[in-house]
Amino acid sequence: MIFDKALLRTVLLSVGVVAMVIGIYQTIFFNDLAANYWIFMIAMACWMPLLYWRQQERLAAKIAEEEARLAKQVRAKTPAKSTQKRR
């Protein structure tokens, strides 16, 4: 069985949103934020890996972009080979 990271992201996002909505509802209904603090922490625990993975993807994209830019500069500096024969 292959691990699907996209499915994990979807599940974490869904659980986080549902926990946040339930936490807001319970806080408004019972007018007690302290009693529902744990629900908000579940939502944050689901969102933290998502934020971390997004940051890592941005960093990897920047590194790949910089490597591509440097490779392009190196290719531009090397002279093209001449088709004429040397004597």
Side-chain angles (χ1 to χ4, degrees):
M1 186 170 160
I2 298 173
F3 178 74
D4 190 13
K5 194 172 184 179
L7 179 62
L8 177 64
R9 287 180 177 203
T10 303
V11 169
L12 285 175
L13 180 66
S14 301
V15 171
V17 168
V18 167
M20 185 61 72
V21 168
I22 291 171
I24 291 171
Y25 173 77
Q26 291 282 14
T27 301
I28 292 171
F29 188 73
F30 292 114
N31 199 19
D32 188 15
L33 179 64
N36 300 308
Y37 180 74
W38 65 275
I39 299 174
F40 291 108
M41 289 301 103
I42 289 174
M44 290 305 298
C46 290
W47 288 338
M48 292 300 268
L50 296 173
L51 295 172
Y52 177 74
W53 291 331
R54 190 175 299 151
Q55 180 185 21
Q56 293 300 316
E57 287 175 354
R58 278 193 218 126
L59 181 62
K62 275 187 178 180
I63 290 172
E65 180 181 320
E66 184 68 24
E67 288 176 352
R69 186 182 63 81
L70 289 173
K72 186 177 180 182
Q73 284 180 349
V74 168
R75 274 186 268 131
K77 288 181 181 178
T78 57
K81 290 188 176 181
S82 176
T83 57
Q84 296 176 354
K85 292 184 179 179
R86 289 190 168 179
R87 293 184 188 204

